[in-house]
Structure formats: C-alpha cells, structure tokens
C-alpha cells in the first residue's frame, strides 16, 4: 500500500499531494516557491520561523522525486518525531542514528536496498567519514539539511560535524542540497552557505511574524503577585499545555511545587536531572499527560509538540533570539496562543552578572539591552520584535498588550530629577532597591546605617509606590540616564546625558506603570462563554479524549494523530460521513482511512445527544430525512413553509443537516454573495430581496445566507 502511494506521488502535483497526503487546502506563503525551486533540482537556503511549515517544503519534493530523500537532522528526538509524523500520513520513512540496535540498522538498510523507503533521516555524525558505506550515491535524489544553523560557529547550537557536510555536497553533485533553519541573522546565513558549500543557492526568507502568538509583558511584580497571576492564567485554560521558562534550576522546582500545591498538573525540567527523569518529563508533556512544564531553557529543543497553547517567561530572557525561539514553541498548529513575559530589576542584575562572567561581554550586553528595550517598549511590541530580525511592519499588530492598552506617557522630568539627584548624593554607590528606599523615605537599618536618611532627597518620592519606582528606574536606564556598574554591586551611575536633566535643560517623558492585574484579564474571567462556544467545546473535549485514547494505544503523541487545529476544524464541520471527513483541514487520505470510523462515531454520538425529541428543528429534520419536501413538512407540521426553511438553515449551520443540495440553487448563492458587500444589515433577508430585484425567493436567500455563514463569508453578529 505504501509503495502504491509513493508511486502515485511521482505523477502528482504539489497541490494534490498537499491535499491528499497532508490534508491541507492551501500552501502557506513561500512554500510553493520553495517546492518548485527544489523540483528544479537547485540548491537553496530556507529561513522560516518555528512552526512556519518547513517540513512540507522538503517532504513534498521528496515524494515527487524518484528515489530516496536524505534529511540531515541534529537531534534524535526531532528525527523520531518527524519520521512518526510521516508514517502517520502513510509515507515510508525511517531514521538512522546511534539509537538503533544492529537489527534495526539492518532493517533500515534492507528498506533502502529494496527501494521501498522515501525518506531517511540521518544524524551528521553518522553520515560523515563514510559512516553509511552501503548507501549508494545513486540512491539519493535530494538532501535536506534541517536545523542548518548548527553549521555556524556563531550560533549556540554549533555542531562541528555539520561543517564536514561540504564533502558530501561535493560527492553527491547530482542532487539538490537545501538547508532549512529558523535562525535568521545574516552571519549565520552566510556561514551556512559557505560551510555547506551550497551551489549558487537561492535564499528564501519567509516572514518571521507569528501572528497567532499574543505578546504580553508584565513588569516588576513580586514573586507572590506573579504566582497568583500565573495560577489564575492556567486555571482559565484547563487542559491547555504550556511551558514556563525560569532562569535557574532551583526556580523551576520551586515553581512546579507551588503550582502543584494549587492543584495544577506541573513538572520541573532542567539539565541537572538524570536523563531518565528528563525523558520521562518530556514524554509526559508530549503525550498530554502533564499540562505544565517549569523549565530552564534546556527544555524545548527537539520538541515538535504542536499543541503548546502558551509559553511564559518567569524571568527576563538573555536576548531576543532566545526569547523568540522559546515563545515560538507555542501555537505551531497556527491556532491562537498566548505568551507572557515577566521581568524585574532582579532579573536584570542577575543576567548582568552572568554576562560579566561570559566570554563575549560586549556582545551579550548589547543583546540584553535590546531585550530590555523590547520589554519596556511603548510602541507595538511585534514591531520592535520583527525590526530586530530586519522586518518592518506596515501596521501595528493588534495582538500585543501595547496595541490593546496603549501606554500613557507623562512629563517625568521631576521624578527623574529626584532619582538622579538621590543617586548623586549617595556618591553613586547604591543599587536600585536602596535608591528606591531612600526616595520613599524607608527607615530600614541599611538606610540608617549609611546615614542616607540625612540626605536631602530622603523621602521626596513617597507618593510613588515601590513597584512604580522600580519601573521608572528601568525606563531611565533605557533612556541612557543611568548605567549599572557591573563591577560595583550594580550600583546606579549617573551618565553624562543625565546631567542636562539634573540642570533642568532637558525634559523626560515616562510612561505610566500598567495596572497590577490587567483589565482584560478581569473581564475575561467574568465573561461567560456563549452557548455556541461552550457546546463546541464539549465536542472538542470529546474528540480530544478520543485522540488521546488512540494515541496511547498506538504509542504516538496525540498531536500526531491530529493536531488541535484539525480537531477545531472537525468541530466546526461536524462531519457525518467519510467524504465530509476528508474536508477537514489536516485530514489526508491515509489518516482518513485510519481514523474516520472512530471520529465519525464520536461525532454522531454527540449529535444524537443534541437531538432532543422536543426540539422543533429535530422534528423538521426527521421528516426531511424521510423524504418529505419543505412544503409537505409545513403541511404535516402545520407551520409556515418559510419557518421550515429557516429550520433547515439552522440545522445546516449547526451541522445536523449535511448539505443544502436540492434546496438552494448554486446561482442563487452566487447572486446573494454578489450583493452582500452593499448590504448593511447583513442578517436581514429583505435588503437582499430588494437588491436582487425580487428575483431570488426569500427561502433561497435564507438558505444562501446559511451557506455563506458556514463558509465564513458572512460574519454573524454575536
Ligand atoms: P517548522 O518545521 O517550520 O517548525 P512544521 O513543518 O512542523 O514547522 O509545521 C508546523 C505546523 O504547520 C504543522 O502542524 C504542519 O502540519 C502545519 N502546516 C504546514 N504547512 C501547512 C499548510 N500549508 N496548511 C496548513 N498547515 C500547515
Ligand atoms: Zn502590537
């Protein structure tokens, strides 16, 4: 069966394979271009963000070429995941790395020799130095290099074996080599092309914008406030998997324990655990058995889990690259996902200490500064983020906290002068907390011991809260008025630029500190879900549970059966037969054959519970299924025929009626669609009737609107 499919692909088109094998209707931006380029047998470099859809770009050409595609990948877990995903779509794939037993190695070899394999994933160390002697040059038709940034010495994932791939490029001059990475910077790009010896490669850069990720930053909160907010955030997202990145190992454990006490299913993960413990934690997360992971940045590389619904940073990340990669682990399936970044002055001090001890002090400090600028941004955060990667947006994103609650700025000259002058009067010897204590007139022992209560600015800033002061001082740092003296206990030094402010020659704008708990969170907590949403959620949960049962029997991660986006689409469509099941996004033929039976049964079971005998719609549906026309039903039920049509429209929208065929003409739908833009009250029938010169009867308009509502062309007001 596998061979038949593979053979058919040779004669197919990329579009047909996208639909039949992967179950998707359309290519994402750049995917088609990249595929065509590879089909022309040319070298290339593809830069796409995590979750952008790189795999399909090399998998579709791989299916269309005769012979074997080699995928070079640095991580065993990534290879395993991708091979499983290919197999789940009915494609013959295998991996070859140090985790295989010699029997398994033999199996892979015979699959290659009998030409029954389409994809072979190999680690670079296996491949170089004649590591796979039985692999014949002619067997290979295409080489894809995944995570190609590992070839670059500039990156943190540098893998020396990658640099020897150049020899292979020379040896297999007959096939295209295409490198893929989610790391965008220019130096890495150049390195990849040179180190791999790519031949006049074309570079494809897709947008690094991940529109489905919301961006939020929560500055200067105490541990307690943070914890409270995180618990309420998670409680509002039952069953939704998420990752919380912490700076220290100790913190991951403490946070996981605190969350567990609050009844949340959370585990810690860091490099200090044994590899057994680490793989168990990882496996439980991948398989939807653990909801939340509190981890250091050691977690996540090599995790392809597509249904991570949110990512948090419990502390400030070191740089934007790392931050973007980490939040990128959320929402790979394209569904809306949330990200929250917490940061405090303490994080900045801690990170600055690390930087002091690091090899590349200057570079790392600049990177931290850019990170801080992002965290303190007063314009659309996505703009700031993307401009870091050299991309410029035409409009604000509308999906970040700044867009949602634009910050309010005010003349902060006086506050700034207070802070600067207090710092000067301490001879620039104090760090942030002490400075705030002085400004607020705190009588703590350290203040008194140093006689800071005697200085002129003691207590002048009482009216501003401790939290607000910290926030303002970070803003002053960002504006270059203060500098942290790394080698003097992070005391605050007043810069040259600050002198003008102190002399009253320059005004300073500060932004108001955001509320402790943002209003939208409170609103979200109060809002009751509408009926339609909660019913769809019931079905979603049923399908999710079914997916988990199937996955655990097959010993694969649930998202490999179907991802969340596919389940959501299934809930929308509510298919009741095989053909309709194929319409669901992410359902290819192989998966349809395998899973349609179980999922259709679950959906049918759900729809049955929806059919209450007293339900007037249901009575209409029953008669309709018996073969009565709407007119006959109207007579039988003693109702107006327009009422019956309205029942049928509703039944179609809620999925109980599968098709409107025979009830409304295609042409009528087209006509209604054509006048829709000019109609103001889009859910009323009369305006359409008039606009179409009374040529389309009311009942057809009613059904046409139902059709357009289902396709999403008609937006219905809530
Ligand atoms: P990357 O390797 O770039 O991180 P993947 O290849 O894992 O991303 O793709 C991320 C997700 O997007 C996967 O669930 C994949 O099936 C899905 N996907 C890829 N291309 C499309 C498409 N054209 N339409 C819908 N979903 C897609
Ligand atoms: Zn924005």
């Amino acid at each position: 069966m596998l061979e038949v499919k593979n053979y058919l692909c040779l004669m197919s088109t990329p579009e047909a394979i996208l639909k039949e094998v992967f179950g998707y209707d359309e290519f994402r931006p750049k995917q088609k271009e990249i595929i065509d380029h590879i089909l022309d047998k040319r070298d290339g470099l593809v830069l796409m963000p995590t979750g952008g859809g790189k795999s399909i770009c090399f998998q579709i050409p791989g299916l269309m070429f005769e012979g074997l595609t080699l995928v070079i990948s640095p991580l065993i877990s990534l290879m395993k995941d991708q091979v499983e995903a290919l197999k789940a779509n009915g494609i013959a794939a295998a991996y070859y790395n140090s985790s295989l037993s010699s029997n398994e190695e033999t199996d892979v070899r015979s699959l290659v020799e009998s030409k029954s394999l389409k994809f072979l994933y190999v680690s670079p160390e296996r491949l170089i130095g004649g590591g796979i002697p039985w692999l014949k040059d002619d067997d290979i038709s295409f080489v894809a290099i995944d995570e190609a940034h590992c070839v670059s010495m500039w990156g943190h994932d540098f893998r020396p074996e990658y640099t020897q791939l150049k020899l292979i490029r020379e040896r297999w001059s007959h096939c295209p080599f295409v490198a893929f990475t989610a790391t965008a910077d220019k130096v890495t790009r150049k390195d990849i092309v040179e180190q791999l010896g790519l031949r006049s490669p074309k570079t494809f850069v897709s947008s690094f914008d991940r529109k489905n990720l919301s961006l939020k930053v929560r500055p200067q909160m105490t541990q307690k406030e943070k914890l409270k907010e995180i618990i309420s955030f998670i409680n509002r997202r039952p069953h939704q998997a998420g990752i919380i990145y912490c700076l220290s190992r100790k913190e991951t454990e403490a946070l996981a324990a605190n969350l567990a006490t609050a009844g949340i299913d959370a585990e810690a993960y860091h490099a200090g655990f044994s590899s057994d413990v680490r793989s168990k934690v990882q496996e439980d997360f991948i398989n939807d058995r653990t909801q939340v992971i509190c981890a250091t940045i050691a977690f996540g590389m090599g995790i392809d889990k597509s249904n991570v619904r949110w990512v948090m940073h419990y502390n400030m990340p070191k740089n934007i690259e790392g931050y973007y990669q980490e939040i990128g682990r959320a929402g790979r399936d394209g569904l809306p996902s949330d990200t929250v970044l917490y940061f405090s002055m303490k994080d900045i001090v801690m990170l600055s200490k690390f930087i002091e001890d690091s090899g590349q002090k200057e570079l790392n400090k600049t990177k931290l500064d850019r990170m801080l600028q992002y965290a303190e941004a007063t314009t659309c955060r996505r703009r700031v983020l993307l401009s870091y990667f050299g991309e410029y947006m035409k409009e604000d994103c509308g999906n970040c906290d700044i867009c949602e609650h634009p910050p309010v700025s005010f003349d902060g000259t006086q506050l700034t002068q207070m802070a600067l002058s207090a710092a000067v009067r301490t001879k620039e010897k104090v760090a942030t907390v002490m400075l705030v204590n002085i400004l607020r007139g705190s009588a703590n022992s350290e203040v008194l011991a140093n006689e800071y209560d005697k200085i002129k600015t003691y207590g002048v800033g009482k009216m501003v809260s401790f939290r607000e002061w910290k926030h303002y001082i970070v803003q002053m740092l960002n504006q270059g008025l203060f500098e942290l003296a790394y080698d003097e206990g992070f005391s605050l030094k007043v810069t040259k630029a600050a002198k003008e402010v102190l002399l009253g020659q320059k005004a300073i704008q500060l932004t108001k500190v955001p509320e402790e708990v943002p209003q939208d969170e409170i609103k979200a907590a109060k809002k009751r879900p509408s009926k339609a949403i909660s019913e769809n959620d019931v079905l979603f949960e049923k399908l999710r549970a079914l997916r988990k049962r199937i996955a655990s029997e097959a010993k694969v991660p649930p998202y490999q059966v179907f991802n969340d986006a596919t389940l959501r689409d299934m809930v929308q469509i509510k298919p009741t037969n095989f053909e309709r099941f194929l319409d669901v996004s992410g359902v290819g033929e192989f998966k349809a054959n395998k899973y349609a039976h179980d999922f259709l049964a679950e959906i049918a079971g759900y729809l049955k519970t929806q059919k209450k005998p007293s339900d007037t719609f249901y009575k209409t549906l029953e008669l309709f299924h018996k073969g009565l026309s709407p007119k006959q039903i109207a007579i039988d039920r003693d109702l107006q025929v327009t009422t019956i049509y309205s029942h049928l429209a509703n039944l179609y929208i809620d999925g109980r009626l599968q098709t409107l065929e025979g009830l409304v003409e295609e042409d009528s739908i087209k006509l209604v669609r054509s006048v829709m833009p000019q109609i103001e009250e889009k859910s009323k029938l009369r305006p359409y009737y008039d606009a179409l010169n009374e040529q389309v009867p009311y009942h057809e308009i009613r059904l046409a609107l139902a059709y357009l509502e289902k396709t999403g062309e008609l937006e219905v007001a809530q």
Side-chain angles (χ1 to χ4, degrees):
M1 165 150 195
L2 292 179
E3 282 169 56
V4 173
K5 158 151 282 156
N6 293 337
Y7 170 69
L8 284 179
C9 283
L10 295 178
M11 306 188 303
S12 198
T13 61
E15 285 81 5
I17 297 176
L18 183 71
K19 181 68 194 163
E20 282 162 23
V21 178
F22 298 98
Y24 298 128
D25 291 323
E26 282 173 13
F27 282 111
R28 291 193 181 148
K30 295 266 159 55
Q31 284 182 325
K32 181 69 192 334
E33 268 177 81
I34 296 164
I35 291 169
D36 286 342
H37 181 82
I38 300 173
L39 290 173
D40 277 348
K41 304 206 166 172
R42 295 178 51 198
D43 283 9
L45 168 62
V46 175
L47 306 144
M48 230 186 231
T50 315
K54 285 185 279 297
S55 327
I56 275 179
C57 297
F58 58 81
Q59 288 168 353
I60 290 182
L63 284 170
M64 295 177 69
F65 284 136
E66 225 166 315
L68 186 65
T69 287
L70 215 56
V71 184
I72 299 169
S73 175
L75 283 170
I76 291 177
S77 61
L78 273 184
M79 284 188 219
K80 194 165 161 250
D81 206 85
Q82 292 224 354
V83 167
E84 293 293 343
L86 281 168
K87 283 186 177 165
N89 279 319
I91 299 164
Y95 53 83
Y96 197 76
N97 58 36
S98 57
S99 76
L100 295 190
S101 66
S102 65
N103 276 348
E104 287 168 323
E105 283 187 2
T106 315
D107 288 348
V108 173
R109 178 177 178 173
S110 48
L111 281 173
V112 172
E113 284 172 348
S114 63
K115 302 204 185 305
S116 32
L117 204 61
K118 279 313 292 180
F119 292 92
L120 181 62
Y121 282 68
V122 292
S123 52
E125 55 271 27
R126 252 308 144 93
L127 195 58
I128 53 170
I132 315 181
W134 47 264
L135 201 58
K136 302 211 177 57
D137 295 359
D138 297 346
D139 291 341
I140 318 288
S141 48
F142 165 40
V143 180
I145 301 114
D146 209 2
E147 311 287 339
H149 60 276
C150 294
V151 82
S152 170
M153 283 190 276
W154 296 103
H156 42 83
D157 301 324
F158 177 57
R159 300 277 294 253
E161 311 85 32
Y162 260 71
T163 58
Q164 295 183 44
L165 291 174
K166 200 176 198 162
L167 300 174
I168 303 225
R169 207 289 148 260
E170 278 160 22
R171 194 170 117 203
W172 291 335
S173 56
H174 63 287
C175 54
F177 271 57
V178 180
F180 293 81
T181 178
T183 306
D185 72 82
K186 294 221 168 73
V187 189
T188 312
R189 264 189 232 184
K190 206 166 136 247
D191 246 16
I192 293 174
V193 171
E194 277 169 14
Q195 298 287 343
L196 292 176
L198 299 181
R199 289 185 308 200
S200 37
K202 182 164 175 187
T203 303
F204 297 87
V205 188
S206 83
S207 167
F208 271 67
D209 189 7
R210 298 274 311 279
K211 290 187 177 53
N212 62 321
L213 301 184
S214 75
L215 305 171
K216 182 182 275 182
V217 178
R218 305 282 292 135
Q220 317 298 354
M221 295 171 73
T222 63
Q223 294 289 101
K224 219 165 109 189
E225 290 163 347
K226 252 199 310 199
L227 186 63
K228 238 170 83 184
E229 196 172 281
I230 293 173
I231 291 170
S232 116
F233 177 98
I234 299 172
N235 284 339
R236 270 182 283 119
R237 289 166 178 77
H239 306 299
Q240 294 191 6
I243 306 172
I244 308 178
Y245 284 106
C246 305
L247 207 52
S248 72
R249 295 179 180 184
K250 221 171 76 196
E251 212 149 34
T252 65
E253 292 181 42
L255 181 59
N258 280 332
L259 294 180
T261 313
I264 291 166
D265 173 21
E267 293 279 354
Y269 181 105
H270 58 69
F273 289 135
S274 71
S275 73
D276 282 353
V277 171
R278 273 182 291 153
S279 14
K280 171 149 191 340
V281 173
Q282 184 166 319
E283 287 293 301
D284 282 349
F285 183 63
I286 288 173
N287 289 299
D288 292 354
R289 290 190 292 263
T290 301
Q291 190 194 351
V292 179
I293 300 292
C294 306
T296 57
I297 53 169
F299 184 76
M301 244 291 245
I303 288 190
D304 251 350
K305 183 179 169 75
S306 70
N307 61 334
V308 176
R309 292 268 67 89
W310 52 268
V311 167
M312 275 186 193
H313 283 85
Y314 195 67
N315 312 92
M316 182 84 140
K318 283 197 203 73
N319 54 46
I320 291 188
E321 286 94 340
Y323 167 71
Y324 202 58
Q325 200 167 48
E326 282 136 29
I327 63 171
R329 300 202 171 111
R332 280 178 160 224
D333 51 18
L335 290 181
S337 307
D338 296 315
T339 77
V340 184
L341 160 65
Y342 291 99
F343 83 98
S344 68
M345 200 63 205
K346 213 169 115 198
D347 300 340
I348 299 165
V349 169
M350 181 107 129
L351 287 169
S352 305
K353 266 186 206 150
F354 291 162
I355 288 174
E356 277 306 289
D357 303 334
S358 78
Q360 295 165 298
K361 226 157 53 181
E362 279 312 303
L363 180 69
N364 289 338
K365 186 172 173 325
T366 316
K367 289 194 167 190
L368 178 61
D369 285 345
R370 293 294 296 268
M371 187 67 228
L372 196 59
Q373 277 162 16
Y374 168 79
E376 282 287 339
T378 51
T379 55
C380 172
R381 286 199 204 280
R382 204 172 305 266
R383 274 183 192 275
V384 179
L385 207 50
L386 289 177
S387 76
Y388 184 82
F389 296 110
E391 239 180 89
Y392 298 93
M393 291 167 46
K394 286 203 190 79
E395 282 169 11
D396 287 353
C397 78
N399 194 17
C400 74
D401 51 352
I402 301 284
C403 281
E404 275 163 18
H405 308 280
V408 182
S409 61
F410 64 97
D411 182 352
T413 313
Q414 215 187 346
L415 288 181
T416 309
Q417 284 169 337
M418 286 178 191
L420 292 173
S421 113
V424 171
R425 284 165 204 276
T426 63
K427 308 220 161 38
E428 302 175 70
K429 277 201 183 120
V430 302
T432 309
V433 171
M434 176 64 88
L435 188 74
V436 175
N437 278 331
I438 296 169
L439 286 163
R440 290 190 28 84
S442 149
N444 79 24
S445 53
E446 226 178 312
V447 172
L448 301 178
N450 287 294
E451 300 199 329
Y452 290 143
D453 55 332
K454 305 259 160 63
I455 66 180
K456 209 173 144 200
T457 31
Y458 180 73
V460 292
K462 249 197 184 75
M463 65 295 183
V464 175
S465 74
F466 195 83
R467 174 167 171 264
E468 284 171 314
W469 264 124
K470 283 198 293 184
H471 201 58
Y472 293 142
I473 290 173
V474 174
Q475 292 183 34
M476 293 170 204
L477 270 169
N478 258 340
Q479 298 194 29
L481 303 172
F482 277 128
E483 253 170 23
L484 284 180
Y486 299 103
D487 42 358
E488 293 176 36
F490 298 92
S491 57
L492 291 161
K493 301 283 176 198
V494 175
T495 64
K496 266 199 198 119
K499 301 266 149 69
E500 283 177 81
V501 183
L502 274 170
L503 293 171
Q505 293 164 346
K506 192 177 169 210
I508 292 293
Q509 289 284 311
L510 295 176
T511 36
K512 289 232 166 83
V513 179
E515 295 154 75
E516 302 234 350
V517 181
Q519 280 303 315
D520 55 342
E521 294 281 320
I522 297 170
K523 262 190 251 152
K526 280 186 188 155
K527 205 165 94 187
R528 282 172 192 282
S530 74
K531 190 165 163 277
I533 290 171
S534 64
E535 276 180 9
N536 274 348
D537 282 350
V538 170
L539 179 55
F540 183 80
E541 283 309 316
K542 280 180 185 292
L543 298 183
R544 219 175 56 84
L546 171 63
R547 171 178 75 175
K548 196 166 172 184
R549 283 199 299 278
I550 292 175
S552 84
E553 264 168 43
K555 298 200 166 52
V556 295
Y559 64 85
Q560 285 207 340
V561 174
F562 288 128
N563 69 19
D564 281 12
T566 299
L567 290 195
R568 284 280 167 211
D569 203 40
M570 213 178 279
V571 166
Q572 276 304 314
I573 294 180
K574 298 188 184 63
T576 50
N577 58 41
F578 186 77
E579 242 185 304
R580 197 71 180 122
F581 194 67
L582 279 170
D583 287 343
V584 176
S585 167
V587 177
E589 277 173 16
F590 192 82
K591 284 192 180 176
N593 276 316
K594 205 161 164 188
Y595 302 126
H597 179 80
D598 289 346
F599 280 87
L600 287 174
E602 192 71 42
I603 293 166
Y606 166 81
L607 290 176
K608 220 185 241 156
T609 63
Q610 296 298 96
K611 290 175 189 163
K612 300 176 202 87
S614 61
D615 179 351
T616 177
F617 291 175
Y618 181 57
K619 281 184 190 148
T620 295
L621 184 68
E622 225 174 13
L623 294 172
F624 186 71
H625 280 330
K626 279 187 186 155
L628 271 65
S629 70
K631 204 161 170 192
Q632 289 166 324
I633 300 171
I635 295 167
D636 190 271
R637 298 203 55 198
D638 199 14
L639 291 168
Q640 295 286 326
V641 72
T642 49
T643 311
I644 301 301
Y645 276 111
S646 153
H647 288 178
L648 292 170
N650 280 305
L651 287 161
Y652 177 71
I653 290 166
D654 76 17
R656 284 187 272 174
L657 181 64
Q658 287 294 304
T659 166
L660 293 175
E661 234 173 75
L663 289 167
V664 56
E665 299 284 330
E666 283 251 17
D667 283 346
S668 305
I669 296 176
K670 280 189 194 146
L671 286 169
V672 169
R673 181 189 283 127
S674 71
V675 295
M676 202 155 70
Q678 75 201 53
I679 290 192
E680 248 173 61
E681 289 185 280
K682 295 208 191 307
S683 52
K684 292 224 166 102
L685 305 185
R686 181 66 193 251
Y688 293 92
Y689 189 67
D690 292 345
L692 292 166
N693 301 323
E694 306 178 3
Q695 291 304 299
V696 180
Y698 272 111
H699 73 266
E700 289 216 22
I701 297 176
R702 181 71 191 86
L703 294 174
L705 288 180
Y707 179 85
L708 295 171
E709 182 175 336
K710 194 106 185 188
T711 59
E713 291 169 79
L714 171 71
E715 299 255 341
V716 272
Q718 293 300 320

